[in-house]
């Protein structure tokens, strides 16, 4: 890096905008979306898509709900030309979809582009030329007037060819490339000249696409540019103002959202932000940001993992783990306090199944319901040594159907936490259940329950009396014990007491069925407290609900003896 003073770079230009209105606006409806995956996205791929891949991707875009899709640069290569022809000749374009074709403002390229559109039902011809001082000086060596003239001549030719072109409804789009880095008054001058040449009217508007070809300034400056432009146009009604942001400073999403607040009507971008350098705007993120505010995004991402998988296969790009909405980790919490809060939020919602009558989403740390975009709850909470009791309980509940009593969470959480800390890594749900199994379900010393017979012995007044006869192994010795009580658990406690082994109080007992259907197991949880007031839980699982309860008692008993 250059040592100060830094002479190599200069500050961005402020926009002369007083009383700006955009900070007070909210976005309350979706813009017109235009996907540029097959053009801007494709031209940035190490291995560009072949025709078959483009056809598949085009179909995906129509299924998501895009009504405007830039399909390529037909005058630039045989593949691009052939793809445009295949779309048209094989009737792949749904009735309500416009294909968009990009072309530089050069005569032979414009003519070739029109040839590629023969027979298309609807199309947008997208003309562009660079307008910024750097491009004028470094790339073209042309004056402002000469650059403006290229745009006007190109537009005039597109107009002439449109008038001659039969059978296609043609819309016209113009982009002053590098708009974000162009003197704002000059951009307006060029765009107004183009609008005038096209003879745009409110009934037949032109699309003026104002690209942040390179993101050279923060999003508030982008918003100022858009508001200034919209306010100073002579015929605002005769134009659809379109945004096309790139992400060089990492703010493409913010720039687009502020640009919409500043008055834009339309947004160009790609799925997951694929595109030159740091990428184009990620349309998925902006659309789902709108959804997260209760605005209908008009795009269907209800199976985002499927969209991602097609995208990754065809582009050979990978969506990073922390990419908004789509990344593997974005609905996952490792930290204990986050997990506890998420579990509380999720517990309050359990039971809501009606998609239409949904109460407000109030789950801390989760912006939206992962299920809305085809993701599940399983990976919301993952366990490492940073995790807490709520997280472990969540995993056991989600993956294994075990609804541990709340007062059992700290005990289990600590055991699993120590395990993760010892291994110094994340634990899988299988490893968590494995540890739970070893400690709670398979601990048979000093007492092992071999078999039991519990039956109702008699009715005493209002209350039934149960008798429990159990075959056990106690300190390696097989024995039969028996007792009575007002329930199977109390009968077994009585049997232990009669055998002289009772050194505890029964302080908690709960049970529930695991999963649904008829072939369910039951889980039972028993808490025993010793004379010093220390409490230990046990758990038992069995197809017989009474056996599950006795197993839970034995499990708690053994845990308590081990700590004595
Ligand atoms: O980024 C850009 O300026 C472009 C134009 C061709 C619209 O992709
Ligand atoms: Zn671009």
């Amino acid at each position: 890096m250059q040592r100060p003073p830094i002479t190599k770079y200069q500050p961005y230009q402020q926009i002369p905008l007083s009383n700006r209105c955009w900070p007070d606006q909210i976005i309350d409806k979706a813009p017109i979306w235009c996907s540029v995956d097959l053009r801007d996205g494709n031209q940035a791929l190490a291995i560009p898509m072949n025709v078959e891949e483009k056809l598949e991707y085009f179909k995906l875009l129509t299924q998501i709900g895009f009504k405007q899709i830039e399909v390529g640069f037909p005058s630039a290569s045989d593949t691009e030309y052939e793809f445009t022809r295949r779309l048209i000749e094989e009737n792949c374009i749904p009735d309500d979809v416009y294909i968009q074709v990009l072309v530089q403002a050069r005569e032979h390229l414009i003519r070739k582009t029109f040839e590629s559109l023969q027979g298309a039902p609807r199309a947008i011809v997208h003309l562009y030329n660079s307008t910024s001082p750097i491009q004028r000086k470094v790339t073209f060596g042309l004056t402002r007037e000469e650059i403006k003239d290229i745009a006007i001549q190109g537009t005039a030719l597109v107009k002439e060819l449109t008038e001659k072109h039969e059978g296609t409804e043609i819309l016209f789009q113009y982009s002053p490339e590098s708009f974000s880095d162009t003197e704002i008054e000059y951009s307006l001058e060029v765009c107004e000249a183009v609008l005038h040449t096209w003879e745009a009217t409110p009934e037949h508007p032109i699309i003026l696409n104002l690209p942040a070809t390179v993101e050279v300034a923060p999003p508030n400056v982008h918003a100022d540019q858009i508001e200034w432009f919209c306010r100073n146009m002579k015929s605002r009604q005769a134009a659809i103002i379109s945004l096309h942001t790139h992400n060089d400073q990492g703010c493409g999403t913010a720039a687009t959202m502020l640009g919409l607040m500043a008055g834009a009507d339309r947004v160009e971008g790609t799925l997951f932000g694929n595109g030159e350098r740091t990428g184009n705007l990620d349309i998925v993120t902006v659309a789902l940001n709108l959804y997260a505010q209760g605005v209908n995004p008009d795009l269907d991402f209800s199976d985002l993992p499927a969209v991602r998988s097609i995208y990754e296969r065809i582009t050979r790009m990978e969506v990073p783990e922390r990419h908004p909405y789509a990344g593997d980790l974005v609905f996952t919490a490792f930290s204990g306090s986050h997990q506890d809060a998420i579990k509380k939020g999720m517990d309050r919602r359990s039971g809501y199944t009606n998609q239409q009558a949904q109460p407000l989403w109030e789950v801390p740390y989760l912006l939206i319901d992962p299920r809305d975009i085809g993701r599940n709850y399983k990976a919301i909470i993952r366990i490492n040594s940073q995790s807490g009791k709520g997280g472990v309980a969540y995993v056991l509940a989600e993956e294994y159907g075990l609804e541990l009593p709340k007062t059992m969470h700290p005990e289990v959480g600590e055991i699993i936490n120590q395990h993760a800390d010892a291994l110094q890594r994340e634990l899988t749900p299988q490893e968590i259940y494995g540890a739970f199994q070893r400690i709670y379900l398979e601990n048979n010393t000093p007492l092992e329950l071999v078999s039991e017979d519990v039956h109702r012995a008699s009715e005493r007044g209002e209350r039934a009396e149960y008798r429990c006869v159990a075959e056990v192994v106690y300190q390696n010795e097989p024995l039969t014990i028996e007792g009575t009580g007002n329930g199977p658990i109390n009968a077994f406690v009585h049997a232990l007491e009669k055998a002289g082994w009772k050194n505890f109080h029964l302080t908690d007992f709960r049970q529930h069925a695991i999963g649904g259907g008829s072939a369910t197991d039951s889980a039972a949880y028993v808490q025993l407290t010793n004379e010093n007031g220390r409490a230990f839980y046990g758990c038992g699982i069995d197809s017989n609900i009474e056996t599950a309860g006795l197993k839970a008692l034995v499990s708690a008993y053994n845990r308590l003896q081990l700590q004595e």
Side-chain angles (χ1 to χ4, degrees):
M1 288 172 72
Q2 186 186 9
R3 287 175 202 278
I6 298 170
T7 52
K8 196 170 176 183
Y9 304 105
Q10 60 183 1
Y12 51 81
Q13 294 298 305
Q14 297 280 359
I15 302 301
L17 185 68
S18 57
N19 303 326
R20 52 180 62 73
C21 298
W22 63 261
D24 294 330
Q25 308 307 309
I26 52 157
I27 309 171
D28 56 7
K29 69 173 178 21
I32 302 165
W33 303 108
C34 175
S35 151
V36 294
D37 292 74
L38 295 168
R39 196 277 299 171
D40 221 353
N42 186 49
Q43 75 188 43
L45 294 176
I47 306 174
M49 300 176 210
N50 61 33
V51 173
E52 295 305 325
E53 287 168 336
K54 275 194 148 196
L55 285 167
E56 185 184 350
Y57 205 109
F58 179 84
K59 191 164 169 218
L60 172 71
L61 294 169
T62 60
Q63 283 164 350
I64 290 169
F66 285 98
K67 305 296 179 207
Q68 302 191 354
I69 301 173
E70 189 160 81
V71 296
F73 215 137
S75 62
S77 78
D78 290 346
T79 309
E80 300 279 286
Y81 191 91
E82 188 196 330
F83 172 59
T84 314
R85 294 308 309 153
R86 293 262 313 259
L87 282 175
I88 298 167
E89 284 164 19
E90 294 174 17
N91 288 323
C92 302
I93 310 167
D95 284 348
D96 54 354
V97 170
Y98 286 80
I99 56 165
Q100 178 167 309
V101 284
L102 181 70
V103 61
Q104 283 175 359
R106 293 166 70 185
E107 181 176 347
H108 69 290
L109 301 180
I110 295 173
R111 289 189 186 281
K112 176 115 196 200
T113 302
F114 270 83
E115 271 169 38
S116 78
L117 290 177
Q118 284 302 330
R122 278 160 297 278
I124 301 171
V125 175
H126 178 188
L127 182 85
Y128 79 100
N129 69 324
S130 292
T131 52
S132 70
I134 297 184
Q135 295 273 22
R136 294 194 311 257
K137 179 169 128 188
V138 178
T139 318
F140 301 107
L142 294 175
T143 64
R144 284 164 63 133
E145 274 310 306
E146 286 166 327
I147 291 282
K148 183 167 86 177
D149 202 46
I150 290 173
I152 293 172
Q153 296 312 323
T155 304
L157 181 58
V158 172
K159 187 167 165 54
E160 181 194 322
L161 296 178
T162 299
E163 280 159 6
K164 287 190 195 144
H165 194 96
E166 286 183 359
T168 307
E169 181 198 337
I170 293 182
L171 307 182
F172 177 54
Q173 169 166 331
Y174 172 70
S175 294
E177 201 205 45
S178 300
F179 164 83
S180 54
D181 206 14
T182 302
E183 306 88 330
I184 190 88
E185 300 84 358
Y186 176 61
S187 301
L188 181 64
E189 181 186 323
V190 175
C191 287
E192 298 232 281
V194 165
L195 183 149
H196 191 249
T197 308
W198 182 251
E199 296 179 57
T201 62
E203 293 72 38
H204 298 287
I206 183 174
I207 302 170
L208 290 177
N209 186 48
L210 306 178
T213 305
V214 178
E215 186 173 55
V216 292
N220 62 305
V221 174
H222 184 252
D224 278 358
Q225 287 172 330
I226 302 300
E227 184 169 330
W228 186 97
F229 192 95
C230 291
R231 275 211 222 168
N232 286 280
M233 284 181 76
K234 288 195 198 81
S235 339
R236 172 68 183 90
Q237 298 309 317
I240 291 167
I241 299 298
S242 175
L243 306 175
H244 176 114
T245 60
H246 281 263
N247 209 24
D248 299 77
Q249 299 195 2
C251 302
T253 299
T256 297
M257 295 193 71
L258 300 196
L260 288 174
M261 289 159 60
D265 311 294
R266 181 179 185 270
V267 166
E268 292 195 344
T270 59
L271 298 181
F272 310 115
N274 179 41
E276 296 279 18
R277 309 178 308 280
T278 49
N280 282 69
L281 165 80
D282 173 15
I283 284 194
V284 179
T285 299
V286 176
L288 291 176
N289 286 354
L290 298 191
Y291 179 66
Q293 295 166 41
V295 175
N296 174 6
D298 272 343
L299 293 177
D300 184 359
F301 290 117
S302 50
D303 193 354
L304 194 56
V307 172
R308 175 181 153 181
S309 128
I310 298 174
Y311 162 85
E312 290 188 329
R313 175 168 52 77
I314 294 183
T315 62
R316 299 154 190 99
M317 300 289 292
E318 272 177 22
V319 173
E321 289 177 329
R322 301 218 181 267
H323 192 98
Y325 301 104
D328 285 344
L329 290 180
V330 299
F331 293 111
T332 299
F334 284 104
S335 119
S337 62
H338 291 202
Q339 292 176 346
D340 289 345
I342 290 173
K343 181 160 179 359
K344 283 183 186 152
M346 298 297 267
D347 287 350
R348 277 163 49 107
R349 291 189 70 83
S350 59
Y352 291 119
T353 47
N354 181 341
Q355 275 298 320
Q356 274 329 105
Q358 288 278 314
L360 196 63
W361 177 252
E362 290 177 317
V363 178
Y365 301 108
L366 294 184
L367 176 63
I368 63 164
D369 184 347
R371 281 199 305 197
D372 287 352
I373 53 172
R375 309 211 39 188
N376 57 39
Y377 293 156
K378 289 200 192 302
I380 289 180
I381 289 176
R382 286 169 51 176
I383 305 299
N384 61 18
S385 61
Q386 302 297 307
S387 310
K389 51 191 182 353
V392 173
Y394 182 86
V395 171
L396 289 172
E398 278 298 306
E399 303 279 339
Y400 298 96
L402 294 179
E403 301 290 343
L404 308 190
K406 219 170 163 24
T407 39
M408 188 178 178
H409 293 186
E411 180 181 315
V412 180
E414 199 184 320
I415 291 168
I416 301 297
N417 200 275
Q418 281 167 1
H419 191 42
D421 206 25
L423 293 177
Q424 289 287 297
R425 63 169 172 79
E426 184 191 350
L427 300 181
T428 62
Q430 293 80 354
E431 287 173 317
I432 292 166
Y433 186 70
F436 183 84
Q437 209 170 17
R438 273 192 308 283
I439 288 170
Y440 289 96
L441 305 177
E442 292 170 355
N443 71 354
N444 291 322
T445 29
L447 181 64
E448 181 182 352
L449 179 67
V450 179
S451 67
E452 79 291 332
D453 173 27
V454 184
H455 55 268
R456 206 179 255 233
S458 64
E459 300 282 340
R460 267 213 215 135
E462 300 261 292
R463 299 173 70 187
E465 186 170 84
Y466 287 79
R467 180 153 191 271
C468 170
V469 181
E471 302 296 329
V472 299
V473 176
Y474 186 72
Q475 292 177 342
N476 298 325
E477 194 184 338
L479 291 163
T480 303
I481 58 172
E482 59 85 25
T484 53
N486 58 7
I489 292 288
N490 282 342
F492 190 55
V493 170
H494 184 225
L496 294 177
E497 188 177 8
K498 279 174 58 183
W501 305 330
K502 181 169 179 268
N503 57 350
F504 57 82
H505 301 288
L506 176 70
T507 39
D508 194 14
F509 170 58
R510 304 160 200 217
Q511 55 195 12
H512 65 81
I514 303 174
S518 50
T520 51
D521 273 345
S522 293
Y525 312 90
V526 164
Q527 187 191 50
L528 302 180
T529 303
N530 67 14
E531 274 113 31
N532 303 324
R534 281 199 68 190
F536 297 90
Y537 266 100
C539 176
I541 296 178
D542 202 278
S543 54
N544 179 312
I545 191 164
E546 283 166 358
T547 309
L550 301 197
K551 282 183 172 177
L553 200 148
V554 171
S555 156
Y557 180 82
N558 286 333
R559 284 188 34 74
L560 186 136
Q561 306 314 312
L562 286 178
Q563 316 295 324
E564 285 280 288

